[in-house]
Amino acid sequence: MAVVAAMAVPHPPIILPEIGRGEEKKIVRTTAAYGEVMRRAAALEPDTVVITSPHATMYGDYFHISPGKKAVGDFSAFRCPEVKIEAAYDDVFSKALADACAADNLPAGFLGEREPALDHGTMIPLYFLQPELRKPVKVVRIGLSGLGADVHYRLGEKIAETAEKLGRRVIFIASGDLSHKLKEDGPYGFAKEGPVFDEEVTKALGAADFLSLLTISPELAEGAAECGLRSFWIMAGAFDCQMVHAELLAHEGPFGVGYGVAYFTPEGRDDSRDIGRQLIEKEANDIAAIREHEDAYVRLARESLETFVRSHVMMPLPKDLPEDLQDRRAGCFVSIKKDGRLRGCIGTLAPGRRNLAEEILCNAVSAGMHDPRFPQVTPEELPRLVYDVDVLSEPEPIDSPKALDVKRYGVIVQNGERRGVLLPDLAGVDTVDEQIAIARRKGNIGAKEKVTLWRFEVKRHV
């Protein structure tokens, strides 16, 4: 047996009549679609239901599989404690999956459970599924991670392999909402990325275009404040090398959050749909194109970190550097990204080295090895890293935020010895108020504390 069907479903508590108290009538298409996919799934008489949830235990570098024999949860957090959901866990499947992941150096298992009770991302699908079942089924609950799309996809492959090995008929439920920023009057406000993200994701789901799903821009996903994308990545991996029939049954967002319902069934092996390999190949080609076009500033940053990570020795400066790097002194920031997400960023507001080349060299190593927000870069990561170098003008004091332009100027906010800095023209930072607020947080400066402001310009090398 194997994964016999899968679905992408949202988890809005308001969809439950006990919680919505009439408001659920505003998303009747979602409710009807939910009922339909659960009836289809139940008719397949599954042995096991695998649920991936953004609200289960989540780590940046690890997939948590819920341990134990069973779990219970309720909706007390939504003022409805009387609604309870209980799930018996398929502990044999969970153990086999964890073992398979360990054998393939995939970071997944039972470590670090923080909350054994079922989360609402798990309970809401079960609320709709359990009444439709002809026989009880066991559940495997898995949290998401901050790892890349390729790693989530590999986990999906392991889920399918485990189902085959154990002879289980498995239904896969990818629990997750879409954008949380579809309306100004919604709980999270509006962002221009919200509707674009929902359109791209629902189009990909409806066509089973999993490569497009796996390569959605991280900036778009972050700006949209998405919820379920990583859940959908794992689901895609469960259909590796399979022809898939896909159907998008509903998409709506009257409350400012996108709700999509899609259903998937396998239709036989198709080696041309080895999407995991295609993803890795595309990412490698994209990185190669970036390397081919990088300038001397970015190349110096990259080679500096690569040399240090591999040898633990600072690289000597190349002798053929442009004059600007050898003769000029300036502050600079080096930013490192992996899979489109920040992996480290360290900089200097004013020059502290003999020249700009040394400034870049040292800041690149610091960004990769000493940014306190991230673990040190490992040799295995180096081929996937992308670098930006921002060379700063001398900061100038300003009297008012009116002198700022979020696209043109970076900002420094200072209160006593505390100081926060934010570069200009960053994805997801659209207003001066947002820019100052983020800089305040970075400097541990309260929203109402008095600050002195500076602005600066940058020359960005990518």
Side-chain angles (χ1 to χ4, degrees):
M1 294 295 104
V3 176
V4 295
M7 64 191 77
V9 292
H11 47 246
I14 202 169
I15 200 172
L16 275 58
E18 298 90 338
I19 295 174
R21 301 180 186 275
E23 288 295 291
E24 74 278 3
K25 296 177 182 177
K26 296 179 181 178
I27 50 172
V28 291
R29 284 180 292 172
T30 300
T31 306
Y34 228 127
E36 174 62 22
V37 296
M38 292 306 180
R39 282 190 291 274
R40 294 183 189 180
L44 294 172
E45 299 190 352
D47 304 307
T48 301
V49 175
V50 174
I51 302 179
T52 54
S53 170
H55 300 286
T57 298
M58 179 174 177
Y59 291 99
D61 58 356
Y62 185 78
F63 296 101
H64 184 265
I65 304 170
S66 295
K69 296 286 188 181
K70 65 178 182 179
V72 180
D74 63 41
F75 288 90
S76 297
F78 305 97
R79 300 180 181 180
C80 199
E82 66 274 15
V83 178
K84 294 180 171 64
I85 302 292
E86 181 172 338
Y89 284 150
D90 190 337
D91 57 331
V92 174
F93 191 107
S94 296
K95 176 64 165 56
L97 175 60
D99 289 345
C101 290
D104 198 30
N105 294 316
L106 188 64
F110 305 117
L111 299 176
E113 183 173 53
R114 292 195 293 258
E115 175 52 69
L118 296 177
D119 63 284
H120 73 275
T122 300
M123 290 191 290
I124 291 171
L126 291 177
Y127 177 96
F128 283 92
L129 175 63
Q130 287 178 341
E132 303 292 341
L133 292 170
R134 300 172 185 176
K135 63 176 184 178
V137 300
K138 292 188 175 182
V139 171
V140 175
R141 181 173 68 141
I142 306 173
L144 311 182
S145 82
L147 297 167
D150 61 318
V151 189
H152 284 76
Y153 191 92
R154 284 174 56 205
L155 177 59
E157 291 182 273
K158 293 301 171 188
I159 290 169
E161 290 173 13
T162 302
E164 288 275 8
K165 180 179 179 180
L166 297 179
R168 297 279 204 277
R169 293 176 61 82
V170 171
I171 297 294
F172 192 114
I173 299 178
S175 178
D177 299 334
L178 303 178
S179 171
H180 281 62
K181 293 194 172 186
L182 296 181
K183 296 179 68 176
E184 289 286 359
D185 60 352
Y188 306 96
F190 175 80
K192 62 183 185 298
E193 295 89 350
V196 177
F197 177 85
D198 271 30
E199 181 179 359
E200 289 195 13
V201 171
T202 52
K203 181 180 178 181
L205 290 174
D209 183 359
F210 294 153
L211 185 59
S212 292
L213 196 68
L214 291 157
T215 56
I216 281 178
S217 160
E219 289 81 12
L220 176 64
E222 183 176 352
E226 62 84 19
C227 169
L229 184 58
R230 291 172 175 83
S231 239
F232 309 152
W233 288 346
I234 302 172
M235 178 195 70
F239 288 124
D240 186 63
C241 291
Q242 291 284 322
M243 178 61 68
V244 178
H245 178 266
E247 183 180 355
L248 180 69
L249 287 84
H251 173 232
E252 54 188 342
F255 305 119
V257 178
Y259 307 135
V261 178
Y263 191 74
F264 308 87
T265 50
E267 295 189 327
R269 187 166 181 85
D270 182 351
D271 289 335
S272 70
R273 285 181 59 85
D274 55 344
I275 308 298
R277 183 198 59 79
Q278 294 174 36
L279 173 65
I280 292 171
E281 186 176 280
K282 182 180 185 305
E283 290 177 341
N285 290 337
D286 290 346
I287 292 289
I290 291 171
R291 300 280 193 262
E292 184 178 350
H293 293 96
E294 65 187 10
D295 66 12
Y297 297 75
V298 174
R299 184 166 57 254
L300 176 60
R302 175 177 60 80
E303 292 178 349
S304 298
L305 181 60
E306 288 178 348
T307 298
F308 189 87
V309 169
R310 289 172 176 149
S311 69
H312 304 288
V313 174
M314 297 294 284
M315 181 184 80
L317 288 178
K319 296 180 179 179
D320 58 346
L321 292 172
E323 290 184 2
D324 185 62
L325 284 168
Q326 298 185 64
D327 300 338
R328 180 182 175 190
R329 300 182 74 234
C332 74
F333 276 72
V334 175
S335 301
I336 306 169
K337 292 183 178 179
K338 178 182 175 183
D339 301 325
R341 294 175 176 81
L342 188 66
R343 182 62 179 83
C345 180
I346 294 289
T348 46
L349 295 172
R353 305 287 173 176
R354 289 185 304 168
N355 54 29
L356 180 54
E358 284 193 2
E359 209 79 36
I360 293 172
L361 185 150
C362 294
N363 288 349
V365 172
S366 293
M369 308 304 288
H370 304 303
D371 188 328
R373 297 169 295 178
F374 303 96
Q376 294 184 339
V377 167
T378 65
E380 293 75 21
E381 294 178 275
L382 292 174
R384 301 180 66 173
L385 301 183
V386 176
Y387 302 77
D388 296 348
V389 176
D390 290 307
V391 181
L392 277 59
S393 67
E394 185 176 348
E396 59 178 341
I398 57 175
D399 296 327
S400 165
K402 294 180 180 179
L404 291 170
D405 179 328
V406 71
K407 297 297 183 183
R408 178 179 178 184
Y409 296 112
V411 66
I412 305 169
V413 300
Q414 185 165 351
N415 178 291
E417 297 297 319
R418 293 172 294 160
R419 182 171 63 183
V421 182
L422 198 68
L423 297 171
D425 197 20
L426 296 178
V429 183
D430 299 317
T431 69
V432 168
D433 287 343
E434 290 175 326
Q435 187 183 40
I436 292 175
I438 295 170
R440 281 179 175 272
R441 291 197 294 272
K442 293 181 71 175
N444 196 27
I445 301 170
K448 295 184 179 180
E449 292 187 82
K450 190 173 182 179
V451 294
T452 305
L453 299 175
W454 283 266
R455 70 181 186 186
F456 58 89
E457 294 183 272
V458 305
K459 171 65 175 177
R460 180 160 292 162
H461 299 262
V462 298

